[in-house]
Amino acid sequence: MINIQPSDLIGKGVHRKCYIHPENANQCIKIVYRGGQAETIREQKYYRYLAKRGIPWEMLAQFHGNVETNFGIGAVFDFVRDDDGNASKTLDAYFKSTDETTVSYANIFQCLCELKHYLLENNIITMGLKPRNILYKRLSQTTGRCVIVDNIGNSDFIPICTYNKFLGNKKILRKWDRFEKALSKEYHDNTKLKNFILQLRQS
Ligand SMILES: Nc1ncnc2c1ncn2[C@@H]1O[C@H](COP(=O)(O)OP(=O)(O)OP(=O)(O)O)[C@@H](O)[C@H]1O
Ligand SMILES: [Mg+2]
């Protein structure tokens, strides 16, 4: 049984709270606080499938199984940190601010191009790409990596795209296109971002 303190909280989504693992600083524990476990079960099945396939985990936080905690059952993942040791921030947090002093949009968009190729190369299907589910892991002022922490897998009744790379890649490109369109819509007030989104669409 792992004992989590409320102060271990790193982030909170609509369904889950994410805590730093009290016994392993490189991992975090996610606990459902709203809704059922169905989504978690579906997600974990997909993570196990990817693990079996032996994919590289550099742009997807790896799943390490479930543990029992004082707050209930929790799912253990790699904890994504920046070079200063702090929890990496979501793309949403970066795009809502226009402050580029610690990280430039140019870096983030370079990393987004790499993320797109990583997903295609490894045929990793996402339910939907959202800026609040992608972290920017800052490695230095000019380098970093985008890491997906939520919402992967395929809920199709017959999930053929999971097993067929040609069809899977078509699905990934469709999701990516939707993601880019959503970025231009969601952050239309951020004029600095516009050029980068255009560049991303041409890459
Ligand atoms: N592996 C991780 N490393 C560092 N921080 C993380 C990690 N996973 C999640 N977080 C933080 O915790 C927040 C909530 O986690 P997560 O997105 O998994 O919850 P959720 O309830 O499933 O989200 P949603 O609201 O998108 O359904 C994230 O937005 C992020 O800030
Ligand atoms: Mg989320």
Side-chain angles (χ1 to χ4, degrees):
M1 164 78 97
I2 291 171
N3 219 343
I4 300 175
Q5 304 297 320
S7 58
D8 293 332
L9 189 75
I10 310 160
K12 188 174 153 187
V14 177
H15 306 99
R16 298 186 290 186
K17 287 183 183 173
C18 181
Y19 297 92
I20 182 148
H21 195 310
E23 293 166 16
N24 184 342
N26 294 318
Q27 295 183 336
C28 60
I29 304 180
K30 293 193 192 186
I31 298 175
V32 175
Y33 73 94
R34 187 186 288 149
Q37 294 286 339
E39 184 54 26
T40 299
I41 292 166
R42 190 200 52 71
E43 179 186 79
Q44 293 188 356
K45 197 171 149 204
Y46 191 66
Y47 273 104
R48 288 195 186 96
Y49 162 75
L50 291 180
K52 239 190 245 164
R53 239 174 48 193
I55 63 144
W57 296 98
E58 76 237 56
M59 296 186 217
L60 179 62
Q62 189 169 1
F63 171 58
H64 297 286
N66 293 305
V67 288
E68 245 186 80
T69 79
N70 51 322
F71 292 154
I73 199 97
V76 180
F77 288 89
D78 281 340
F79 175 34
V80 186
R81 291 173 184 277
D82 287 350
D83 52 340
D84 61 4
N86 289 325
S88 297
K89 288 187 284 188
T90 67
L91 291 187
D92 183 55
Y94 280 111
F95 294 164
K96 271 183 180 151
S97 111
T98 49
D99 175 20
E100 286 189 82
T101 46
T102 52
V103 165
S104 76
Y105 289 148
N107 289 336
I108 299 183
F109 278 89
Q110 174 59 37
C111 294
L112 274 175
C113 289
E114 286 161 16
L115 177 66
K116 180 179 175 183
H117 292 111
Y118 166 84
L119 294 176
L120 290 168
E121 179 61 32
N122 296 293
N123 200 40
I124 297 170
I125 314 282
T126 59
M127 301 282 287
L129 285 161
K130 296 202 176 87
R132 68 166 192 267
N133 292 326
I134 304 173
L135 305 186
Y136 180 71
K137 181 179 170 68
R138 181 194 187 273
L139 296 171
S140 75
Q141 176 92 22
T142 52
T143 57
R145 198 185 298 150
C146 284
V147 182
I148 297 181
V149 295
D150 184 19
N151 227 12
I152 64 157
N154 186 353
S155 63
D156 291 350
F157 184 60
I158 301 170
I160 187 153
C161 295
T162 301
Y163 307 103
N164 180 302
K165 192 169 178 183
F166 176 75
L167 295 177
N169 271 214
K170 277 178 90 166
K171 195 182 191 74
I172 293 166
L173 287 172
R174 275 201 309 275
K175 301 266 177 180
W176 193 270
D177 191 53
R178 253 180 255 163
F179 170 61
E180 286 173 349
K181 282 186 182 136
L183 285 185
S184 353
K185 229 171 143 183
E186 247 173 276
Y187 307 101
H188 61 91
D189 290 342
N190 189 342
T191 46
K192 276 181 166 181
L193 265 186
K194 275 190 187 142
N195 268 337
F196 289 110
I197 296 171
L198 274 177
Q199 277 173 35
L200 184 67
R201 301 209 70 172
Q202 283 150 13
S203 71

